Amino acid sequence: MKHRFWTKGILYLILIALAVFYLLPIYLMLLTGVKPFNEVDLKTMWALPLNGLHIENFIAGYKQLAPNLKNSFIMVIPEAILSSLLGSLNGYLLSKWKFKGANLVFTLILFGMFIPYQSILIPLVKFMQFLNLYGDIPGLILVHIIYGIPITTLIFRNYYATIGTEVLEAGRIDGASLMGLYRYIMFPLSAPSFAVVIIWQFTQAWNEFLFAVILTNQSHWPVTVALNNLAGSQLVQWNVLMAATLLAALPTLLVYIFLGRFFMRGLMAGALKG
Amino acid sequence: MFEDETVLAIGLLLPSILAVAVFVYGFIGWSIRVSLSKWKGLNPDYTWAGLQQYINLFNHDQRFIIDVRNTAMFTVGFIIGCLVLGLGLAILLDQRLKGEALFRAIYIFPMSISFIASGVVWGWLMNPATGDRITGLNLIFKSLGLDFLISTWHATPQPWGMAFTVIPAVWQLSGFTMALYLGGIRSISDDLREAARVDGASEFEIYRYIILPLLQPVTLSAVIILGHMSLKIFDLIVALGNKDIRLDVPGIYMWVTTFDGTNYAQGAAIGVLMLISVAILVVPYLVQNMRSENEL
């Protein structure tokens, strides 16, 4: 019994030490973000603020990033909804309506998830210019949806594969059609996968940088591009930069804090396994 | 399953299939064609140049050679770091301690933050300044008397500076690796462990001889996912290195060559080489997956 007590204590110590490592960057962002500029000194960067909390850094950071935060929201919300609907339909068809060669088609689609986007970037830019979608947000949404097809299809297909065909056969006997079965049986059962896919796509699109920096012009920059430019400029004050960085990360952090357990459940159930 | 509606099913799949056919395979073909051309400058020039761009990269381009070395170093460090830490965390959390959900949430949350944001913060934490200007992690080490841990981090001269860029990358994705492993461990039936315990196996032996071997498929999936990420690592290095040539990787070189230098043919060749490196890792895995499914 005593032995178990000590083992437990050591385990907790290790867990807490690791938690400190994982939380350190967030702590630094918060700490620096609430300090006035004259307290942001190299020597005292780890010290607690002396003269109260200075929320004005967050206001200044928000002012810098406000248009870009708006751009990111305009991009991410339709992207996450449309690409999960598309993935759900694809996953249903590829898992329950297997035609000859369906596995080959699925594998060919899946490969698109792994490609480095640098290998399609030049044609993509030319094609988007040709479609007149270059520089603006709708073009970026389209690109995120198309390159999201592999992963959203994968997650839904894996999930639907765990649902027995008996339910569908029963629906079939009741006279449901291909889309009827989807609408009345599969779709209502899909909540867990929708949670995983929407969280995943929201986070991916919010955090994405390469397409955003290449395909949008300055007035349509999402927040990642604006933040990178802010960090690279010499004029910015560190406390404002840290506050801005935290603001840029906040939407996905909040999604994660409130919905993360659904995501975690999906991950642990093998949602991303090929 | 229901033959008659197969045509409709394929019809509904068609938009996705076409989109992938054009945006993935069509564009790859187009990129390959550009990489075999002389296209330099803003106006497309598809004059045939054969393998000239590739030969230039491997034979005459110091920067590209550095990029390849940097990527190799990053990939090895990143994969090993994530696997070791991820498995360690999973085993720790498998001990069914109170507060497991909270610790799990803390370890995995960095995954939700963009590489850009984490690059900005870690660039600050790993500030290499010394003496009066010492700061960041170095300052913590100094005040704790752990001077031997003070480091120049990613500003360390070549080739080792790149190795330190692994730290933020592992910070971001070891929790994800943990989730994969924990899912794997929890899917192993408890009866198996009980049986081993009855036979007198210690907890260590249970992990060593029963659980670890059963986790091999998880390790393979993790290596594929982490490996393809590291071969195309881009944003983290952009935010951390600010186009510092010592921390260059092919993803950045392709960007600079194509869009700053308008050397499209050369940029396309770098992109195609990145694709080949990922394909070598991923294609055998996908083919094997497809085959095992066809047998079912």
Side-chain angles (χ1 to χ4, degrees), chain A residues 95-96 156-165 269:
Chain A
S95 64
K96 298 297 177 208
F156 277 106
R157 182 179 173 273
N158 280 354
Y159 174 69
Y160 291 146
T162 64
I163 297 176
T165 51

Side-chain angles (χ1 to χ4, degrees), chain B residues 89-159:
Chain B
L89 289 170
I91 292 176
L92 269 172
L93 287 180
D94 188 41
Q95 307 310 310
R96 312 226 176 229
L97 295 164
K98 276 208 187 82
E100 178 198 319
L102 177 67
F103 283 115
R104 213 168 56 188
I106 291 173
Y107 300 148
I108 204 179
F109 93 87
M111 190 189 172
S112 69
I113 296 176
S114 68
F115 274 130
I116 295 291
S118 92
V120 171
V121 185
W122 276 98
W124 222 47
L125 280 166
M126 304 198 300
N127 194 315
T130 50
D132 279 351
R133 296 191 49 79
I134 192 167
T135 183
L137 289 176
N138 284 346
L139 182 62
I140 297 190
F141 294 149
K142 195 175 173 214
S143 50
L144 291 175
L146 300 168
D147 288 36
F148 64 97
L149 284 174
I150 291 175
S151 164
T152 46
W153 307 107
H154 51 297
T156 306
Q158 274 191 55

Side-chain angles (χ1 to χ4, degrees), chain A residues 29-37 39 49 51-64 237 239-244 246-247 250:
Chain A
M29 280 193 255
L30 259 177
L31 184 70
T32 315
V34 295
K35 284 181 184 174
F37 187 61
E39 276 183 48
N51 301 310
L53 305 181
H54 288 252
I55 306 300
E56 66 262 24
N57 299 327
F58 282 89
I59 295 167
Y62 179 74
K63 275 191 184 139
Q64 298 256 25
Q237 299 176 329
N239 47 352
V240 176
L241 176 62
M242 284 299 128
L246 193 55
L247 284 175
L250 206 55

Side-chain angles (χ1 to χ4, degrees), chain A residues 54-232:
Chain A
H54 288 252
I55 306 300
E56 66 262 24
N57 299 327
F58 282 89
I59 295 167
Y62 179 74
K63 275 191 184 139
Q64 298 256 25
L65 291 184
N68 311 101
L69 286 164
K70 192 176 151 221
N71 287 339
S72 284
F73 276 115
I74 293 174
M75 166 188 73
V76 157
I77 292 169
E79 190 276 337
I81 294 172
L82 291 173
S83 69
S84 52
L85 284 173
L86 198 59
S88 143
L89 188 63
N90 289 344
Y92 162 61
L93 296 169
L94 282 168
S95 64
K96 298 297 177 208
W97 291 80
K98 283 195 175 173
F99 47 92
K100 207 168 154 43
N103 283 341
L104 178 66
V105 168
F106 173 65
T107 304
L108 287 171
I109 291 176
L110 200 55
F111 181 63
M113 173 177 143
F114 295 98
I115 61 165
Y117 295 130
Q118 280 84 359
S119 68
I120 47 89
L121 208 50
I122 295 169
L124 181 66
V125 168
K126 293 290 153 195
F127 197 65
M128 296 308 276
Q129 284 169 339
F130 169 75
L131 294 179
N132 239 338
L133 287 169
Y134 185 75
D136 205 350
I137 294 171
L140 192 58
I141 296 176
L142 179 73
V143 166
H144 279 157
I145 291 176
I146 289 178
Y147 290 106
I149 289 174
I151 181 114
T152 59
T153 304
L154 167 74
I155 294 174
F156 277 106
R157 182 179 173 273
N158 280 354
Y159 174 69
Y160 291 146
T162 64
I163 297 176
T165 51
E166 304 81 21
V167 222
L168 292 183
E169 275 152 15
R172 193 59 171 179
I173 291 163
D174 293 342
S177 64
L178 173 86
M179 287 315 287
L181 292 172
Y182 174 71
R183 166 88 180 71
Y184 295 106
I185 299 179
M186 293 305 257
F187 184 77
L189 287 172
S190 307
S193 281
F194 270 103
V196 176
V197 170
I198 288 178
I199 295 168
W200 180 268
Q201 287 298 96
F202 183 97
T203 314
Q204 284 299 109
W206 187 275
N207 291 341
E208 202 276 332
F209 178 72
L210 177 62
F211 287 144
V213 76
I214 301 287
L215 293 177
T216 57
N217 53 38
Q218 188 160 0
S219 55
H220 298 111
W221 277 350
V223 76
T224 43
V225 182
L227 178 66
N228 186 53
N229 275 50
L230 196 63

Side-chain angles (χ1 to χ4, degrees), chain B residues 212-229:
Chain B
L212 271 185
L214 288 172
L215 287 178
Q216 269 178 21
V218 180
T219 304
L220 183 63
S221 302
V223 167
I224 300 292
I225 294 172
L226 298 168
H228 98 277
M229 291 179 80

